[in-house]
Amino acid sequence: RKFQRSVDLGCGTGLAGLAIRSRCERLEGVDLSSRMVEKAAEREIYDALHCSDLVAFLRRQETASCDLLVATDVVMYLYSIEPFLHQARRVLRGSGVLIFSTEAASEAEAEAHGGTVERASERFAHGRSFLLKSAEGFDLMDVKEVNIRRDGD
């Protein structure tokens, strides 16, 4: 499938963008850090880059204006994922796809903290049930638990 308009939310240096570029007619990157946006620009894979908070960026987009939203290694920096998911739902076209990663919390741990657990790393982990409830309104395609972070390796 080729996506007409895709947005790499929290694009960082552009690693996810590299992985999806061939499947995107138009690829935009968004990052809060101007330094990351500069690094992403060096890759020359994005049609547009924006220095912005990802939820604020989504709020400014037209309804049903994107086919693919990718948020890898960024949702764990959001204490509240509901505004992010709400705006993603609004911005995606009917057949649009949202792909995101977050850190996992055990069900017991998440339940004791309202679904979201702040880690010593200042990242937030989310319980599976909390994520599934928060993602209501999306057609769930897949949920995988994988180790994507190798801090200190």
Side-chain angles (χ1 to χ4, degrees), residues 35-107:
R35 292 177 122 176
M36 290 294 108
V37 169
E38 289 170 10
K39 290 284 189 189
E42 291 172 8
R43 292 192 188 271
E44 299 181 347
I45 58 169
Y46 293 98
D47 297 297
L49 284 162
H50 311 274
C51 187
S52 175
D53 171 82
L54 65 95
V55 175
F57 175 83
L58 289 172
R59 275 197 313 264
R60 291 191 302 271
Q61 305 309 299
E62 291 184 26
T63 298
S65 60
C66 291
D67 302 290
L68 175 65
L69 296 174
V70 175
T72 56
D73 205 25
V74 69
V75 172
M76 65 270 300
Y77 295 104
L78 302 176
Y79 172 75
S80 177
I81 63 168
E82 287 91 348
F84 160 67
L85 292 173
H86 173 77
Q87 291 302 323
R89 255 186 236 101
R90 186 187 63 75
V91 168
L92 282 169
R93 292 185 177 113
S95 61
V97 175
L98 169 64
I99 299 169
F100 72 93
S101 63
T102 189
E103 292 190 13
S106 72
E107 289 300 309

